[in-house]
Amino acid sequence: MKIDKGVVEYVAHLGRLALEPNEVELYTSQLNRILEYMDSLNTLDTEGVESTSHAVPVTCVLREDLAKDSFSVEESILNAPEKIGSSFKVPPIIEVEE
Amino acid sequence: MPYEPVIGLEVHAQLLTETKIFCSCSTQFGAEPNSHTCPVCMGMPGVLPVLNRKVVEYTMKMALATHCRINEACNFARKNYFYPDLPKGYQISQYAQPLSEHGYVDIELDGGKKRIGITRIHMEEDAGKLLHDEHLPSSYVDLNRTGVPLIEIVSEPDMRSTDEAVAYLKRLHEILVYLEICDGNMEEGSFRCDANVSLRPRGEMMFGTRTELKNMNSFRNVQRALDYEIKRQQCILESGQDVIQETRLWDDSKGETQSMRGKEEAHDYRYFPDPDLVPIVIDNAWTEEMKKSLPELPLEKRERFIRDYQIPPYDAGVLTSSRALAGYFEEVARLSGKPKIASNWVMGDVLRFLNEEKRDIKECPVLPGSLAEMIQLIEDGTISGKMAKDIIVEMYRTGKSPQAVIEEKGMIQITDEGTLEKTVAEVIAANPTQLAQYRGGKEKLFGYFVGQVMKATQGKANPQLINELLKEMLAKE
Amino acid sequence: MEDILELTIAQIRELLQKRKISSVELTNYFLERIKRFDGDISSYIKVTEEYALKMAGDADKKIADGENGQLLGIPLGIKDIYCTKGIETTCASRILKGFIPPYDATIIRRLKDEGYVHLGRLNMDEFAMGSSTETSYFGITRNPWDLERIPGGSSGGSAAAVAADECIASIGSDTGGSIRQPAALCGVVGMKPTYGRVSRFGLIAFASSLDQIGPFTKDVEDCAIMMNAIAGYDPRESTSVPLNVPDYTEFISRGIGGWKVGIPKEYFIEGIHPDIEKAMQRAITTVEGLGATCVEISLPHTEYCLAVYYIIAPAEASSNLARYDGVKYGFRPQGSIDLLDMYKKTRSAGFGAEVKRRIMIGTYALSSGYYDAYYKKASQVRALIKRDFTEAFTLCDAILTPTSPTPAFKIGEKMDDPLQMYLSDIFTISTNLAGIPGISVPCGFTKDGLPIGAQFLAGHFEEGKLIQIASAFEKYANIEKRRPAL
């Protein structure tokens, strides 16, 4: 599968990364090389093989519904780059047309 | 061309657990921003989720109550998108393997029943809250709600009118509240609804282009938004244009739906199984245990009330509208042995008092035992129905038993013939004009005399006895 | 005091208990060594001197009170990937610069319970993404055996610090070889336990289904001691496995007479450094000399491991790293006009090139239309890789392979070619995909004097077997004792 600069830019946007034009170039060529290597998987027939997302099978891990102390507000917002009162502050959300 | 609406609903219900879905923080509403948070629900680096057992069990209850099939194994997936109220940058939800699928609920409309299919019910975590400051160019993030457990109930596109949609929504709401797994509060967002709406020419099999409606936070708004949207789409189609597939927000103040076009991201959620959570395997024993824990559901209860208590469907509907009310009524019916009369008192006075003060049946000062006792006092003639009307006001005001109210107010019914004869004679003697008119054929005045006797006895006279004595004495020369 | 650097945890613990030395003295000794030598090596991002001396003082009091924690008073280096309450934890990334965790990772809690001394934060590839410790925001770490070369990665700081005796032992993490490969390249012992054996809670996630924590030590006995301290079930992790943990030190000196040791033919490929190939031949002879039989086995899906890994790991990473958005903690640049701008500025300036590359690969592999071709396909092949090992372990007790196809390479050598860099992990990643444990032990040197590692693998939760074979190998192979010339 060959990907072009448009795909690279779309993927960067999905991952909320702003790429410089030279980075777009670089990633396009590097990603194509890497993906070409990944394509080796397509030579393998996996019809009927169940997907594995866990290395060690464990099921039904549950905890009881018992409340424990939360953090103090101070601890919760200790690392906030910006805050107002006990809330995190973020820039305004201006939804820009894609 | 006549068009037919096709409606499907997605309902999100917050579960009434003590703690969040993946951590031990409280789910309580209305606390100081970020005071119900911990590293897990704040999405700090390195934290891991562990699933709350109650969330699985509550979801199973809803699935069973709506005739869904519970899957033997289900798992969680990550729904990836960026938003400040989503601290991990993904929402943990269920995607390819939900807890349950293929259910239904029955709704009633104008006497007819209709079955609405449920596609799936799955578990997920709620997002936090993003508050916008109109004065400052910034927004605030409160993560208290992050990780509060939700179930999403997705219907089939089976509804063909706004009324059906609202009836379905009310049915789901009623079941959730009956199961005591959701408080059903729409204003606080414990019960939320999005709708998919499209129109097609009547008789057509293919679906038309749909829009998704959001931001409807009451049954009334759902009704209004759907009505509006159906009309809007009809106008578009009638003018030969095409409906655009988009998300539209209901604006309550303007009474219209508005396009979010341009403000919305092209969504590519990149779902994949969450490697931090393991599959949940549900065996028959667990399902059976949950089945046993289910209360009688509203529809079953309604039918039983009609059958066993011989009360009209409307009354049965009102009395089963909440589990607590139904329980109250049944207690009064059982203790008094008079279900029909019990139903009248509960539907009439008790509910009126409660509605006036917007109180719940659980807070009703008139205990079922007291109401049953009062009904018995009427039955054995100790008090009249009219006296009871006053007594119950006192009972509601003070929480006292009818016996106590009667004693305090000296409200024993006068059933002694001799005493009453004397009063009747006095009343007749005091109203010569009316007596003459009555005897002259104006029989309507009989009621007037009854009233005068009642007044003279402060309502304590046995009405049947008054009737008998008046008839006898008015006829006497 | 110079001979302290020869001593293992086992030996130092005895000196501490007999009060021949205090933990404060010991800690000062290592702090001194770090001051003297770490300028060249840069294994530490940050030395927590005050914190270390306080912990050492506490340990001395406990020793005086007759307490006997497994690591009481032992100075350790910690990879900067474990959230440690009150201590800046960066994952070697600008995006977490200044982040002070308000909580302890389970591993840190366990180490505290055992009375360890926290010397400082060890360098690593940013978010553990790399095989050379060249992608850290805080600069590269050099190999103590040759300062022109890389120490391996991603736990390069953890390996280099033990090799240079800048701590007695250290803790690292391994997602595709990040403990074993640098252990091999720096000539120390490094173990990746079974997935689910050591709690990941508080380990800053790279790839959740592959990450595992393990120790770097001078010898196999110390590895067993460290494993005793860190292994065990944790209710805060859903993938933690509730199995009893044996006393790993009991597996030392048991011998491996009668064992069958599998030699997977797919691991002896073209491109292996000739000195490593020779060392592996010697290793096979050593194992047979211990009374075991070496048998050729096949792991037929080996050639697909790298492709599977470089789909699954970046896919999980792209999601795990979405939380670094400038809202709740860490780095956020000034002057964003709106939210989207803030996100993009934060993440573009906060992440380095390799992290961004992996976010791109992972995001692509999960995106609409490509999921089945990449992520789903990789998850299926992963099942086949796992099955290869299950079948192999019906034929043998353990598997022997080289740890790395090459010895430590030159700084900068592979930075421009991601795929070449990824190939450094070719012998280690299958272990993570299958979730099995692996250990790298020193097995000699190249002609140029660079360390070589041998890797042993065993079935799920058979770390004991690994300790058993690795300790037998360590004694019998009689690898020349050398120290890097600093």
Side-chain angles (χ1 to χ4, degrees):
Chain A
M1 250 178 254
K2 268 271 176 209
I3 58 169
D4 57 24
K5 281 196 260 179
V7 173
V8 167
E9 278 163 355
Y10 169 72
V11 169
H13 172 70
L14 275 182
R16 294 295 181 269
L17 296 169
L19 299 183
E20 299 294 328
N22 63 328
E23 286 180 300
V24 174
E25 293 274 350
L26 184 70
Y27 283 136
T28 306
S29 74
Q30 286 181 339
L31 257 52
N32 268 314
R33 244 199 99 197
I34 294 163
L35 292 171
E36 198 181 310
Y37 184 85
M38 310 296 185
D39 285 341
S40 70
L41 292 183
N42 294 329
T43 61
L44 205 57
D45 182 11
T46 51
E47 186 71 31
V49 177
E50 199 142 336
S51 299
T52 291
S53 38
H54 293 93
V56 178
V58 180
T59 57
C60 271
V61 176
L62 299 164
R63 47 166 258 278
E64 298 309 314
D65 184 30
L66 297 170
K68 288 189 188 147
D69 281 345
S70 293
F71 262 18
S72 67
V73 170
E74 293 71 37
E75 279 173 304
S76 297
I77 58 166
L78 176 75
N79 285 285
E82 276 193 87
K83 54 198 161 199
I84 290 188
S86 67
S87 296
F88 300 99
K89 185 179 165 188
V90 292
I93 294 140
I94 302 167
E95 279 107 343
V96 187
E97 194 138 0
E98 289 300 304
Chain B
M1 199 187 323
Y3 286 99
E4 171 185 63
V6 174
I7 303 168
L9 297 180
E10 280 172 28
V11 167
H12 286 90
Q14 273 183 1
L15 297 180
L16 272 177
T17 53
E18 287 291 311
T19 65
K20 294 185 178 182
I21 181 166
F22 298 120
C23 67
S24 305
C25 285
S26 165
T27 52
Q28 219 173 47
F29 180 82
E32 181 190 359
N34 295 307
S35 62
H36 289 170
T37 57
C38 74
V40 175
C41 56
M42 288 185 59
M44 288 226 169
V47 296
L48 298 170
V50 183
L51 180 60
N52 184 339
R53 175 186 296 275
K54 271 262 169 71
V55 174
V56 182
E57 298 193 337
Y58 282 4
T59 313
M60 286 168 75
K61 283 188 182 190
M62 188 58 186
L64 290 168
T66 54
H67 315 95
C68 285
R69 188 189 77 201
I70 292 181
N71 290 325
E72 268 170 55
C74 64
N75 68 4
F76 284 95
R78 294 184 182 178
K79 180 181 181 178
N80 295 285
Y81 64 96
F82 286 89
Y83 210 61
D85 65 5
L86 194 69
K88 296 188 296 298
Y90 58 85
Q91 181 195 27
I92 304 177
S93 180
Q94 295 196 286
Y95 184 62
Q97 292 176 271
L99 185 136
S100 60
E101 293 167 280
H102 312 305
Y104 65 85
V105 292
D106 290 328
I107 57 169
E108 283 158 0
L109 279 152
D110 301 329
K113 262 194 191 179
K114 182 170 177 177
R115 181 156 290 184
I116 307 294
I118 288 176
T119 315
R120 55 190 275 151
I121 300 180
H122 73 242
M123 308 175 269
E124 62 184 29
E125 58 179 347
D126 208 343
K129 273 189 181 151
L130 189 64
L131 309 159
H132 306 279
D133 191 319
E134 283 165 22
H135 309 293
L136 286 171
S138 54
S139 303
Y140 316 129
V141 187
D142 170 11
L143 299 177
N144 282 347
R145 200 178 67 178
T146 311
V148 168
L150 292 178
I151 52 175
E152 181 173 327
I153 305 160
V154 182
S155 84
E156 293 290 317
D158 283 352
M159 288 152 277
R160 297 288 173 269
S161 70
T162 301
D163 287 347
E164 287 183 10
V166 172
Y168 164 78
L169 205 57
K170 285 190 169 160
R171 176 55 40 87
L172 284 190
H173 185 269
E174 185 180 63
I175 296 171
L176 286 163
V177 173
Y178 247 71
L179 294 172
E180 293 174 347
I181 60 173
C182 174
D183 69 17
N185 190 328
M186 288 182 88
E187 271 170 36
E188 287 179 7
S190 319
F191 183 86
R192 313 195 277 264
C193 167
D194 300 333
N196 288 306
V197 189
S198 64
L199 258 55
R200 64 179 174 190
R202 208 167 283 279
E204 170 67 59
M205 292 303 286
M206 297 281 285
F207 292 143
T209 307
R210 67 186 161 86
T211 57
E212 192 184 355
L213 303 187
K214 286 180 181 286
N215 200 35
M216 305 168 287
N217 60 356
S218 68
F219 291 118
R220 193 173 151 264
N221 281 342
V222 171
Q223 175 106 40
R224 292 171 67 203
L226 286 173
D227 282 342
Y228 176 89
E229 183 60 18
I230 290 165
K231 272 203 202 104
R232 189 189 70 88
Q233 289 191 16
Q234 190 164 358
C235 288
I236 292 171
L237 294 173
E238 278 170 355
S239 69
Q241 291 171 293
D242 292 326
V243 172
I244 301 164
Q245 182 166 342
E246 60 181 354
T247 301
R248 298 180 69 87
L249 290 185
W250 169 248
D251 186 324
D252 190 23
S253 57
K254 293 198 179 123
E256 59 183 41
T257 63
Q258 289 171 342
S259 173
M260 278 183 74
R261 192 158 26 100
K263 295 176 187 170
E264 204 185 8
E265 276 286 320
H267 291 305
D268 188 341
Y269 290 128
R270 291 158 284 138
Y271 284 101
F272 74 105
D274 192 330
D276 288 331
L277 287 157
V278 298
I280 301 135
V281 177
I282 297 172
D283 59 11
N284 278 338
W286 198 4
T287 305
E288 282 308 311
E289 191 191 320
M290 284 301 110
K291 249 186 211 162
K292 277 192 203 123
S293 77
L294 288 186
E296 186 184 25
L297 292 168
L299 210 56
E300 299 160 18
K301 206 184 269 287
R302 199 158 300 157
E303 277 161 10
R304 181 170 61 83
F305 277 22
I306 296 168
R307 196 176 59 236
D308 292 2
Y309 298 129
Q310 304 281 309
I311 54 177
Y314 174 81
D315 295 19
V318 174
L319 290 172
T320 55
S321 64
S322 90
R323 226 168 120 183
L325 180 61
Y328 182 95
F329 158 72
E330 286 206 273
E331 186 76 354
V332 180
R334 186 177 64 82
L335 293 170
S336 66
K338 301 277 173 199
K340 185 74 195 68
I341 296 171
S343 144
N344 289 341
W345 281 101
V346 176
M347 299 259 308
D349 301 68
V350 171
L351 283 185
R352 194 180 69 244
F353 297 153
L354 291 170
N355 287 342
E356 275 167 10
E357 297 184 18
K358 292 202 172 11
R359 283 167 93 171
D360 190 81
I361 186 73
K362 287 178 198 148
E363 310 163 65
C364 182
V366 181
L367 299 176
S370 299
L371 185 55
E373 193 185 328
M374 196 190 80
I375 291 169
Q376 272 169 341
L377 290 170
I378 302 168
E379 288 301 303
D380 67 18
T382 309
I383 54 171
S384 66
K386 186 165 168 13
M387 285 162 77
K389 288 277 179 197
D390 296 332
I391 292 169
I392 198 166
V393 172
E394 267 314 283
M395 285 165 64
Y396 185 83
R397 198 177 65 79
T398 61
K400 289 180 177 162
S401 74
Q403 207 67 53
V405 173
I406 288 164
E407 275 167 31
E408 264 172 41
K409 304 260 168 185
M411 287 173 86
I412 302 292
Q413 185 165 245
I414 303 165
T415 50
D416 177 64
E417 220 167 298
T419 319
L420 208 53
E421 229 178 60
K422 209 173 137 234
T423 315
V424 171
E426 280 164 14
V427 166
I428 293 173
N431 293 286
T433 324
Q434 286 80 358
L435 181 67
Q437 286 173 335
Y438 178 80
R439 286 189 176 155
K442 213 170 174 187
E443 289 188 7
K444 271 202 296 191
L445 280 168
F446 187 79
Y448 170 79
F449 286 104
V450 174
Q452 290 302 303
V453 177
M454 275 295 183
K455 201 173 160 193
T457 57
Q458 290 160 315
K460 290 183 219 165
N462 180 321
Q464 231 173 322
L465 201 55
I466 299 176
N467 280 351
E468 283 169 25
L469 288 171
L470 267 174
K471 262 184 203 149
E472 196 182 310
M473 293 170 74
L474 285 171
K476 244 194 272 176
E477 197 48 42
Chain C
M1 285 279 267
E2 270 311 297
D3 57 351
I4 286 181
L5 60 83
E6 305 276 344
L7 302 178
T8 61
I9 297 177
Q11 293 161 330
I12 285 185
R13 212 163 52 171
E14 212 180 308
L15 292 181
L16 284 166
Q17 288 296 331
K18 287 183 176 157
R19 316 268 199 94
K20 297 256 170 73
I21 189 171
S22 74
S23 178
V24 170
E25 284 170 317
L26 198 59
T27 302
N28 273 319
Y29 171 81
F30 283 105
L31 290 171
E32 274 308 308
R33 272 195 72 86
I34 295 168
K35 270 178 208 152
R36 254 177 79 193
F37 299 111
D38 206 47
D40 291 338
I41 300 166
S42 303
S43 22
Y44 284 88
I45 289 178
K46 193 175 212 168
V47 179
T48 54
E49 183 164 345
E50 214 174 299
Y51 188 64
L53 287 169
K54 189 184 171 302
M55 288 176 100
D58 291 348
D60 283 333
K61 273 187 214 120
K62 285 186 181 161
I63 292 168
D65 290 344
E67 284 185 43
N68 195 5
Q70 296 186 72
L71 299 172
L72 191 51
I74 304 291
L76 301 179
I78 302 296
K79 186 177 183 178
D80 200 17
I81 197 169
Y82 306 101
C83 284
T84 307
K85 194 171 176 171
I87 301 287
E88 184 180 1
T89 301
T90 67
C91 234
S93 181
R94 185 184 189 192
I95 212 154
L96 273 173
K97 196 158 171 16
F99 171 62
I100 313 277
Y103 76 103
D104 274 332
T106 298
I107 174 97
I108 296 292
R109 274 200 199 177
R110 282 184 183 264
L111 292 173
K112 277 185 182 169
D113 289 347
E114 299 298 339
Y116 89 121
V117 172
H118 179 284
L119 281 174
R121 313 298 288 180
L122 293 164
N123 201 15
M124 55 185 280
D125 281 298
E126 184 181 5
F127 281 103
M129 295 176 187
S131 309
S132 64
T133 317
E134 291 170 285
T135 69
S136 167
Y137 176 67
F138 302 98
I140 57 170
T141 294
R142 291 165 187 273
N143 193 317
W145 294 92
D146 178 349
L147 296 177
E148 298 301 306
R149 290 175 189 271
I150 57 95
S154 68
S155 311
S158 302
V162 174
D165 297 302
E166 293 179 0
C167 57
I168 301 175
S170 66
I171 294 283
S173 66
D174 188 317
T175 305
S178 282
I179 290 175
R180 292 158 290 152
Q181 183 254 19
L185 270 44
C186 289
V188 299
V189 175
M191 179 187 267
K192 179 206 99 77
T194 310
Y195 185 82
R197 175 104 277 186
V198 180
S199 171
R200 293 185 294 121
F201 189 89
L203 162 72
I204 299 181
F206 159 16
S208 309
S209 76
L210 304 164
D211 295 341
Q212 188 53 205
I213 296 171
F216 286 87
T217 54
K218 291 179 190 174
D219 68 5
V220 178
E221 188 184 9
D222 277 7
C223 178
I225 294 171
M226 291 289 282
M227 281 299 293
N228 278 353
I230 65 176
Y233 174 67
D234 181 5
R236 295 194 295 175
E237 179 195 331
S238 300
T239 50
S240 178
V241 179
L243 278 180
N244 284 334
V245 179
D247 177 355
Y248 291 114
T249 58
E250 285 179 3
F251 291 87
I252 304 283
S253 349
R254 274 196 187 169
I256 53 162
W259 277 32
K260 282 202 173 122
V261 176
I263 312 293
K265 59 179 182 197
E266 291 83 1
Y267 281 59
F268 291 84
I269 45 163
E270 253 181 83
I272 299 189
H273 190 282
D275 293 354
I276 292 179
E277 214 173 339
K278 275 181 217 143
M280 289 317 295
Q281 288 311 322
R282 285 198 303 275
I284 290 170
T285 312
T286 305
V287 167
E288 294 202 311
L290 284 159
T293 318
C294 288
V295 290
E296 188 184 271
I297 56 158
S298 173
L299 298 165
H301 295 93
T302 299
E303 62 173 303
Y304 304 106
C305 288
L306 198 68
V308 169
Y309 178 85
Y310 276 96
I311 291 168
I312 290 176
E316 292 182 5
S318 71
S319 174
N320 284 333
L321 269 56
R323 68 190 60 200
Y324 307 106
D325 59 3
V327 175
K328 306 155 300 275
Y329 41 72
F331 169 76
R332 181 205 287 188
Q334 295 292 309
S336 304
I337 50 168
D338 65 19
L339 185 73
L340 185 64
D341 187 46
M342 190 274 279
Y343 279 154
K344 288 193 173 176
K345 276 188 179 147
T346 298
R347 292 169 60 81
S348 302
F351 292 133
E354 181 59 25
V355 173
K356 282 191 252 189
R357 185 155 40 238
R358 299 212 195 179
I359 291 175
M360 297 282 294
I361 298 170
T363 304
Y364 177 74
L366 290 174
S367 67
S368 168
Y370 303 105
Y371 180 87
D372 282 358
Y374 290 104
Y375 188 82
K376 188 173 170 225
K377 185 81 180 182
S379 302
Q380 288 174 313
V381 180
R382 184 176 182 183
L384 300 176
I385 293 164
K386 232 177 104 176
R387 201 172 65 196
D388 283 355
F389 279 103
T390 310
E391 281 168 10
F393 286 121
T394 64
L395 304 173
C396 60
D397 299 280
I399 292 172
L400 168 63
T401 81
T403 308
S404 163
T406 66
F409 46 88
K410 286 264 169 67
I411 289 165
E413 193 180 315
K414 297 185 181 177
M415 279 303 272
D416 296 332
D417 190 345
L419 201 54
Q420 275 310 307
M421 185 71 93
Y422 299 167
L423 283 164
S424 315
D425 298 328
I426 190 131
F427 297 144
T428 45
I429 50 180
S430 57
T431 318
N432 300 73
L433 292 170
I436 58 172
I439 190 169
S440 179
V441 284
C443 81
F445 293 88
T446 63
K447 281 201 299 277
D448 302 330
L450 294 170
I452 297 170
Q455 176 177 242
F456 292 105
L457 308 174
H460 286 146
F461 302 101
E462 293 195 318
E463 289 83 358
K465 270 191 176 174
L466 292 182
I467 300 279
Q468 196 169 342
I469 192 167
S471 68
F473 178 84
E474 179 182 59
K475 282 196 191 93
Y476 191 74
N478 205 12
I479 307 295
E480 185 192 348
K481 286 272 180 209
R482 289 192 210 171
R483 308 206 90 77
L486 296 175

